[in-house]
Amino acid sequence: MTTRTESVDTTAGEARITWHRAARPKLVLAVSHGAGGGIEARDLQALAAALPARGITVALVEQPWRVAGKKVAAAPKVLDEGWRGLWPALAEPGLPVVAGGRSAGARVACRTAAELGAAGVLALAFPLHPPGRPEKSRAGELTGAGRPALVVQGGRDPFGRPEEFPEPGGQDRYELVEVAYGDHGFAVPKKADTTQEAALLTITEAVAEWLARLPV
C-alpha cells in the first residue's frame, strides 16, 4: 500500500484527499468525515488500513471547512459543493468510485451519488435523525440515493439505532449491518461482551464483502 496526500481546489475552498492505494486496485472507495471530527475517525482509519490489501484504493476526504481549520461544519449545500468539486480527482484513476462517508459525510454521499455517477454509497453512522428527535427523519436522503447502498450503524447510535431505519423497497434498496454496542463513533463500552477490535473488524469485513458484490 502506498499513501499520498493531494490538495484539490473547489469552489467551496481547498479540499484534501489522502490516498491509500492498492497495488492492483479494482475500485476507489472515497469516504469523508462527519461534522464533529476528521479522517482520524476510527472507522475511516480501519478501512484505510484493511481494504488496500483486498484491491480497494481508499481515498480519505477532508472537506474545505476542515482543511481551513474551522470548528463548525459548513451548510449542507456547501458540503455538497465541495464534494462535487473534488469528484474529478477521485475519478481520475479511471476506476469505479464508491461514494461514502460517516455521519454528515454519509448524507453528502447519498445526496450526490446519482448525479456524480457513483458506483455505490457507503453510509457509516448515518444520522437518521437528531438525538431524541425521531420525527426529524432524514431517511429520504438514504432511500433516494439511487445507487446500491450499505449502511453500517452502531447498535446504540443516538442518531438512529438499526431498528429505527425504514424497510427498504423497490428501487430504494439498501443493506444494513449492525455494529453491536457501537455508538455514533462506533465506540464500544469496556463492559460490553465484545471488544473495540471486534467492532472495527465487523465494519471492515462487512464493507469488503459488500464491495466485492457490487456490479462494477
Side-chain angles (χ1 to χ4, degrees):
M1 179 182 72
T2 59
T3 304
R4 179 176 65 88
T5 300
E6 172 185 7
S7 293
V8 181
D9 288 328
T10 78
T11 54
E14 179 187 336
R16 193 157 53 212
I17 304 171
T18 300
W19 293 93
H20 298 259
R21 296 186 184 275
R24 290 182 291 276
K26 296 172 285 191
L27 58 81
V28 172
L29 172 63
V31 283
S32 187
H33 52 80
I39 60 170
E40 71 279 359
R42 59 173 60 85
D43 49 341
L44 303 187
Q45 289 296 317
L47 292 170
L51 295 187
R54 302 191 185 204
I56 308 298
T57 286
V58 178
L60 300 183
V61 174
E62 293 174 86
Q63 279 271 6
W65 71 269
R66 184 78 182 179
V67 175
K70 296 179 181 177
K71 303 295 186 184
V72 179
K77 71 176 184 178
V78 178
L79 296 178
D80 293 355
E81 181 183 346
W83 187 251
R84 291 187 187 98
L86 58 84
W87 190 262
L90 297 170
E92 193 275 332
L95 298 167
V97 182
V98 172
R102 64 166 289 100
S103 195
R107 296 181 65 194
V108 173
C110 288
R111 290 192 299 258
T112 60
E115 67 175 277
L116 294 174
V121 174
L122 173 62
L124 301 161
F126 186 82
L128 185 63
H129 57 70
R133 302 290 301 277
E135 74 280 2
K136 299 286 187 180
S137 177
R138 300 166 180 141
E141 291 181 350
L142 175 63
T143 59
R147 289 293 185 271
L150 175 67
V151 179
V152 182
Q153 203 75 3
R156 58 188 186 94
D157 191 333
F159 287 83
R161 297 184 305 280
E163 62 269 21
E164 295 182 78
F165 280 73
E167 188 70 30
Q171 298 299 311
D172 301 329
R173 294 202 174 277
Y174 61 88
E175 298 177 41
L176 190 148
V177 171
E178 178 174 347
V179 180
Y181 302 101
D183 65 8
H184 194 57
F186 297 115
V188 171
K190 291 182 179 179
K191 63 183 179 180
D193 59 358
T194 187
T195 65
Q196 189 65 65
E197 292 73 19
L200 294 177
L201 185 62
T202 296
I203 296 169
T204 57
E205 288 297 311
V207 173
E209 192 271 337
W210 175 74
L211 289 174
R213 290 189 284 106
L214 270 186
V216 296

